[in-house]
Amino acid sequence: MRENYTDQEGQDPCHYHQTADDRRVEQPKKKALTNRLRRIEGQLGGVRNMIENDRYCVDVLTQISAIKSALDGVAIQLLSTHANGCVRNAVIENGGDEAMEELLGVIRKMIR
């Protein structure tokens, strides 16, 4: 039987479901993540307006940098949840070799 472990806030960091053609994870902080993504969407719209209104290049680039940082924050949150939930559970259940390799692959992609 699979045991679920809780994170520092007492939430199970990984509710993993898999069917033959689909893998899903219920994000424990879904509301916070979606709120962050909505703010990022707003920032993107602001950059679009800046370009349409011929704003100074450095100002536009500064906003793009802020968007990249915000996206990195979302990615780090997802990575943390994945490592502390999905990967941890895989290690406990079966040694986690595949999960660790998958985690390392995504980290490699993130740092490029």
Side-chain angles (χ1 to χ4, degrees):
M1 185 168 124
R2 176 178 173 223
E3 293 183 47
N4 287 322
Y5 293 84
T6 58
D7 66 9
Q8 295 166 343
E9 296 168 2
Q11 298 177 331
D12 181 354
C14 181
H15 294 286
Y16 178 75
H17 306 282
Q18 183 170 2
T19 61
D21 60 344
D22 191 26
R23 295 188 300 176
R24 293 177 182 261
V25 173
E26 293 176 28
Q27 293 296 327
K29 298 177 182 173
K30 185 186 298 188
K31 181 75 172 161
L33 288 170
T34 56
N35 286 342
R36 289 175 84 170
L37 290 170
R38 282 190 185 98
R39 282 194 297 276
I40 292 167
E41 287 174 342
Q43 288 177 296
L44 281 169
V47 168
R48 183 184 336 97
N49 289 337
M50 291 175 80
I51 290 171
E52 289 171 352
N53 294 320
D54 300 320
R55 294 287 301 272
Y56 184 57
C57 300
V58 173
D59 293 341
V60 176
L61 291 168
T62 299
Q63 290 305 310
I64 290 171
S65 178
I67 292 167
K68 288 174 67 175
S69 293
L71 280 172
D72 285 346
V74 171
I76 292 297
Q77 180 64 53
L78 287 168
L79 183 64
S80 176
T81 298
H82 182 65
N84 287 313
C86 302
V87 175
R88 175 183 285 163
N89 288 336
V91 168
I92 291 166
E93 289 176 3
N94 61 28
D97 291 339
E98 287 181 32
M100 290 298 290
E101 193 57 40
E102 181 182 52
L103 176 63
L104 291 172
V106 80
I107 291 171
R108 284 184 204 104
K109 288 178 185 177
M110 288 177 68
I111 62 175
R112 287 187 191 158

